[in-house]
């Protein structure tokens, strides 16, 4: 799984490029895009119109694009539409139940029932849990499945992190103070859930050799070593990234993802302490102190 609690750091790009590099190695590869509200894998692979189909026994069969089997919420939701969890669509059973109540002379109960559905939408989680069920999607002879996740920690990422079938998590981060702080949170989530971590990837730190953020790729490297996890590399801001991902996938194929011990990250106090840092150097020093506690 590719994850970061922070949005826009390159999760979808990393998911797509890892899958492409795996396919180039001859591995039968699939992508499951679990970004529910802003799915992008369908855009990256230009596959909005290639819908999954349902087999006779109701499993979902993914379409294949660039030799990769792809399931994205983007193929499922209507285009140009904001899907909100509170907008849970009532299914025919819900409606029948409401109609039954109205016909039984209890319209107020029907309204109460529909309001309850509104207050407890549960749509996102239910959908994702459904897709993660073994057999829900017919991945055929897929050997590797790369999961793109939304920038959050509450629902989807937590559920996937808890899944015993996850080989490992790749955390994407940009070399900036804010992104590093969120990478620490992301790693903490995986620590709490006991999710094996493949490593930390620094993205878009440089463009044509120029630094793009307030920190450098080295800071991300430093964080990875402090946490005792692998640094997967520094991806520049560039157009053709395939070569980098061939190397990263070579590494992933031989890696043994690591579960962080329960006491690696301070559970509390670290945020106000880091806020006190005035310079990148001070920030890193404080980070080091926190990590060694
Ligand atoms: N190394 C890179 N070089 C050039 N462009 C990049 C690179 N990494 C990401 N991008 C671009 O930056 C934008 C954001 O990346 P992406 O969509 O992968 O981030 P994300 O973490 O998936 O975002 P979200 O949290 O919204 O899902 C995209 O337009 C993507 O193509
Ligand atoms: Mg994304």
């Amino acid at each position: 799984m590719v994850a970061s609690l922070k949005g826009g750091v390159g999760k979808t790009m990393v998911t797509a490029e890892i899958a492409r590099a795996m396919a180039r190695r001859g591995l039968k590869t699939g992508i499951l895009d679990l970004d529910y509200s802003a799915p992008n894998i369908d855009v990256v692979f230009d596959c909005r119109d290639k819908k999954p189909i349902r087999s006779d026994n109701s499993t979902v069969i993914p379409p294949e694009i660039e030799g990769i089997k792809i399931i994205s919420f983007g193929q499922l939701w209507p285009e140009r539409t904001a899907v909100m969890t509170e907008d849970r669509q009532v299914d025919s059973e819900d409606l029948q139940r409401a109609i039954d109540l109205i016909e039984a002379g209890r319209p107020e109960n029907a309204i109460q029932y529909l309001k309850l559905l509104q207050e407890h939408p549960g749509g996102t989680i239910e959908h994702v849990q459904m897709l993660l069920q073994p057999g829900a999607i017919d991945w055929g002879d897929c050997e590797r499945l790369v999961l793109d996740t939304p920038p959050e920690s509450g629902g989807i990422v937590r559920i996937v992190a808890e899944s015993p079938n996850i080989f490992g998590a790749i955390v994407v981060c940009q070399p900036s103070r804010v992104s590093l702080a969120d990478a620490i949170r992301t790693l903490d989530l995986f620590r709490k859930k006991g999710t094996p971590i493949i490593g930390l990837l620094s993205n878009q730190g440089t463009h044509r050799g120029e630094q793009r953020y307030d920190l450098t790729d080295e800071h991300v490297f430093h964080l990875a070593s402090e946490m005792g996890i692998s640094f997967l590399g520094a991806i520049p801001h560039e157009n053709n990234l395939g070569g980098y991902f061939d190397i990263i996938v070579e590494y992933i194929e031989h890696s043994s993802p690591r579960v962080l011990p329960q006491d690696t990250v301070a559970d509390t106090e670290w945020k106000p302490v880091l806020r006190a840092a005035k310079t990148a150097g001070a920030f890193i020093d404080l980070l080091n102190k926190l990590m060694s506690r």
Side-chain angles (χ1 to χ4, degrees):
M1 73 184 287
V2 179
S4 114
L5 305 195
K6 184 154 184 58
V9 292
K11 295 177 291 300
T12 299
M13 181 280 290
V14 169
T15 303
E17 293 304 326
I18 283 179
R20 283 174 172 144
M22 284 176 164
R24 278 197 294 276
R25 274 177 87 91
L27 291 163
K28 295 194 171 64
T29 305
I31 293 180
L32 178 57
D33 174 10
L34 294 174
D35 196 334
Y36 187 90
S37 53
N40 295 139
I41 283 290
D42 61 311
V43 179
V44 174
F45 285 88
D46 196 14
C47 64
R48 263 210 68 79
D49 300 329
K50 297 195 174 137
K51 307 274 181 213
I53 50 173
R54 259 187 197 281
S55 71
D56 294 342
N57 63 354
S58 209
T59 50
V60 176
I61 302 176
E64 209 168 297
I65 297 105
E66 298 182 26
I68 299 166
K69 291 184 174 163
I70 297 181
I71 291 287
S72 164
F73 279 113
Q75 299 157 319
L76 310 175
W77 301 145
E79 208 170 357
R80 300 177 176 210
T81 305
V83 175
M84 287 166 272
T85 48
E86 65 268 31
D87 262 3
R88 171 176 157 161
Q89 303 202 337
V90 284
D91 57 27
S92 51
E93 255 176 58
D94 294 331
L95 279 182
Q96 191 54 54
R97 184 133 186 228
I99 290 167
D100 288 348
L101 287 167
I102 293 166
E103 284 180 351
R106 289 152 49 201
E108 68 288 348
N109 286 13
I111 292 170
Q112 204 179 14
Y113 174 66
L114 291 170
K115 273 197 175 151
L116 202 71
L117 287 184
Q118 253 184 343
E119 282 162 24
H120 302 279
T124 319
I125 305 294
E126 279 165 18
H127 267 114
V128 170
Q129 272 170 334
M130 211 172 63
L131 288 180
L132 291 174
Q133 287 295 318
I137 301 172
D138 181 0
W139 292 106
D141 51 4
C142 244
E143 296 164 289
R144 301 287 182 273
L145 188 58
V146 194
L147 269 61
D148 192 7
T149 58
E152 47 97 290
S153 64
I156 294 170
V157 174
R158 178 178 56 77
I159 285 177
V160 180
E162 282 169 0
S163 165
N165 299 326
I166 294 293
F167 171 74
I170 292 171
V171 177
V172 185
C173 159
Q174 290 164 334
S176 74
R177 287 177 53 173
V178 283
S179 189
L180 243 68
D182 289 341
I184 295 171
R185 286 201 186 96
T186 313
L187 293 168
D188 193 40
L189 181 145
F190 292 132
R191 175 185 68 83
K192 287 190 172 112
K193 295 290 162 194
T195 315
I197 296 166
I198 300 173
L200 186 62
L201 190 59
S202 183
N203 188 33
Q204 291 174 297
T206 54
H207 178 58
R208 296 185 178 146
E210 296 288 320
Q211 198 176 309
R212 295 183 76 229
Y213 295 102
D214 53 337
L215 299 178
T216 67
D217 293 318
E218 270 178 43
H219 290 112
V220 183
F221 170 83
H222 201 67
L223 174 62
S225 22
E226 287 298 326
M227 300 288 288
I229 58 170
S230 300
F231 177 68
L232 295 177
I235 308 291
H237 182 88
E238 248 176 54
N239 284 333
N240 294 317
L241 299 167
Y244 296 97
F245 284 92
D246 286 331
I247 298 167
I248 289 169
V249 164
E250 169 78 29
Y251 176 82
I252 295 173
E253 285 299 313
H254 297 100
S255 72
S256 314
R258 175 161 188 260
V259 176
L260 290 179
Q262 287 304 309
D263 58 356
T264 311
V265 183
D267 269 328
T268 53
E269 296 174 53
W270 62 269
K271 202 164 140 191
V273 175
L274 288 183
R275 277 216 183 106
K278 293 279 182 285
T279 63
F283 181 84
I284 296 297
D285 284 347
L286 287 167
L287 208 56
N288 282 339
K289 283 193 190 115
L290 285 171
M291 298 296 169
S292 59
R293 276 214 313 230

